[in-house]
Amino acid sequence: QVQLVESGGGLVQPGGSLRLSCAASGTIFRANAMGWYRQGPGNQRDLVAAITRSGVTNYTDSVKGRFTISRDNAKNSVYLQMNSLKPEDSAVYYCNGNFATWSSGTRDYWGQGTQVTVSS
């Protein structure tokens, strides 16, 4: 089993910044792609940004130029630096990762989510 623990959410004013962190633990053989999703009230969970093991990134259009995803393969961790935050960025942010484990093969895992609220 793999556990993903997120941190770094909170309340920030428009134009401010937050940095989300997500650390994976468990009997991980290999960490593949990792990413961040978000879900606002009444909305579906949508991809915000993703990063492959080799560092290739992908962003949804609305965050390009403002958010930066990065990872540390040695720590099985992924980060999301969020700058110039807007009220429409408010949502619960979920960490996602695809991991290979000895016991469960290769599959996706989710964190518990962290709330980001952008408001004055």
Side-chain angles (χ1 to χ4, degrees), residues 31-96:
N32 299 312
M34 299 183 74
W36 291 92
Y37 288 70
R38 66 186 178 188
Q39 186 170 19
N43 296 333
Q44 64 183 19
R45 191 175 297 185
D46 293 323
L47 176 68
V48 176
I51 184 167
T52 67
R53 181 175 179 82
S54 60
V56 176
T57 59
N58 178 46
Y59 298 91
T60 191
D61 286 346
S62 63
V63 308
K64 287 180 180 177
R66 300 187 298 122
F67 291 11
T68 302
I69 189 171
S70 60
R71 66 187 289 167
D72 184 333
N73 289 335
K75 297 180 178 180
N76 290 324
S77 295
V78 64
Y79 311 95
L80 186 67
Q81 178 66 43
M82 305 185 293
N83 298 329
S84 302
L85 282 161
K86 304 175 181 180
E88 51 263 43
D89 294 317
S90 298
V92 178
Y93 283 69
Y94 295 91
C95 174
N96 171 271

Side-chain angles (χ1 to χ4, degrees), residues 1-54:
Q1 277 291 75
V2 176
Q3 295 79 41
L4 298 177
V5 178
E6 300 122 332
S7 61
L11 173 64
V12 64
Q13 292 186 343
S17 298
L18 283 175
R19 186 174 189 253
L20 305 183
S21 299
C22 173
S25 62
T27 53
I28 297 169
F29 172 70
R30 179 185 174 91
N32 299 312
M34 299 183 74
W36 291 92
Y37 288 70
R38 66 186 178 188
Q39 186 170 19
N43 296 333
Q44 64 183 19
R45 191 175 297 185
D46 293 323
L47 176 68
V48 176
I51 184 167
T52 67
R53 181 175 179 82
S54 60

